[in-house]
Amino acid sequence: EPEVTQTPSHQVTQMGQEVILRCVPISNHLYFYWYRQILGQKVEFLVSFYNNEISEKSEIFDDQFSVERPDGSNFTLKIRSTKLEDSAMYFCASSGIFMNTEAFFGQGTRLTVV
Amino acid sequence: DQQVKQNSPSLSVQEGRISILNCDYTNSMFDYFLWYKKYPAEGPTFLISISSIKDKNEDGRFTVFLNKSAKHLSLHIVPSQPGDSAVYFCAASEYGNKLVFGAGTILRVKS
């Protein structure tokens, strides 16, 4: 069964450092997303990406965040200068025909900023 | 932002009985609703969805009911199995835009 793959599963970084979280969406999907879940809180939308550009972003997704689809398979989330409050599980998701219709999620990357 | 609410933090059910998980929403523009199941340290797994033009959708042991006038949906699991023990998230979207999640309900199915 096709699945969304995320790497690494766990990333520890020093405050102020840049991190790149990687995702391989399901191959024939067209819409890609990043969500995050801070421990004990809700899953929150960060950004959606379609046709090589951002289609929607939340207020959380400020200038320190960026997304890229550098080739035909990978979808990355870059956090430029990490802060302690960026510590969370980051989930990549993808969907096929229509945005967010039955979005399929990856296993997540646990980001710990120390 | 409390557009999607799951007011029960947890639910405990005996194996074989029905589990009913509830979700309320405030945004009348939501037109698509989904339920996800999540185990610790894993991503949400899609379970079942319903469009706002329907009031019921069934898939095996899972049935989702939508009451638009009450802005309420529920997920029924019959019969409940120990493997169903997980966190269940209700989510909603407006015209295919971002998913808005509830806080989740922890379901424990006792054998």
Side-chain angles (χ1 to χ4, degrees), chain B residues 4-35:
Chain B
V4 178
K5 300 179 203 178
Q6 293 177 258
N7 292 318
S8 298
S10 64
L11 174 69
S12 189
V13 170
Q14 198 66 35
E15 181 180 5
R17 306 295 289 266
I18 184 170
S19 296
I20 300 176
L21 298 118
N22 293 302
C23 179
D24 297 293
Y25 61 96
T26 56
N27 186 348
S28 57
M29 302 301 287
F30 285 146
D31 60 352
Y32 203 76
F33 304 90
L34 307 90
W35 284 95

Side-chain angles (χ1 to χ4, degrees), chain A residues 69-104:
Chain A
R69 189 155 160 82
D71 53 41
S73 60
N74 291 288
F75 179 51
T76 62
L77 174 69
K78 183 190 290 186
I79 309 175
R80 257 178 279 282
S81 177
T82 50
K83 299 178 252 190
L84 294 176
E85 54 265 36
D86 294 328
S87 296
M89 283 289 289
Y90 287 80
F91 296 107
C92 174
S94 68
S95 63
I97 300 166
F98 193 59
M99 280 180 72
N100 271 307
T101 306
E102 300 174 9
F104 292 88

Side-chain angles (χ1 to χ4, degrees), chain A:
Chain A
E1 185 175 323
E3 59 180 17
V4 177
T5 307
Q6 289 186 243
T7 53
S9 56
H10 191 186
Q11 173 96 42
V12 181
T13 189
Q14 295 241 326
M15 191 169 55
Q17 294 296 303
E18 174 181 289
V19 294
I20 298 176
L21 310 183
R22 291 182 166 80
C23 170
V24 179
I26 294 172
S27 63
N28 60 349
H29 280 184
L30 302 175
Y31 300 90
F32 315 111
Y33 321 90
W34 285 99
Y35 288 80
R36 78 173 185 189
Q37 185 179 29
I38 294 172
L39 187 63
Q41 298 186 22
K42 290 184 180 184
V43 176
E44 303 173 290
F45 169 79
L46 291 178
V47 66
S48 58
F49 192 86
Y50 169 72
N51 200 25
N52 284 319
E53 60 183 25
I54 290 174
S55 47
E56 186 178 0
K57 60 183 180 179
S58 72
E59 61 275 7
I60 302 168
F61 194 88
D62 60 23
D63 291 344
Q64 66 163 147
F65 292 92
S66 63
V67 288
E68 199 177 35
R69 189 155 160 82
D71 53 41
S73 60
N74 291 288
F75 179 51
T76 62
L77 174 69
K78 183 190 290 186
I79 309 175
R80 257 178 279 282
S81 177
T82 50
K83 299 178 252 190
L84 294 176
E85 54 265 36
D86 294 328
S87 296
M89 283 289 289
Y90 287 80
F91 296 107
C92 174
S94 68
S95 63
I97 300 166
F98 193 59
M99 280 180 72
N100 271 307
T101 306
E102 300 174 9
F104 292 88
F105 284 75
Q107 298 282 75
T109 294
R110 178 171 298 284
L111 176 65
T112 303
V113 182
V114 296

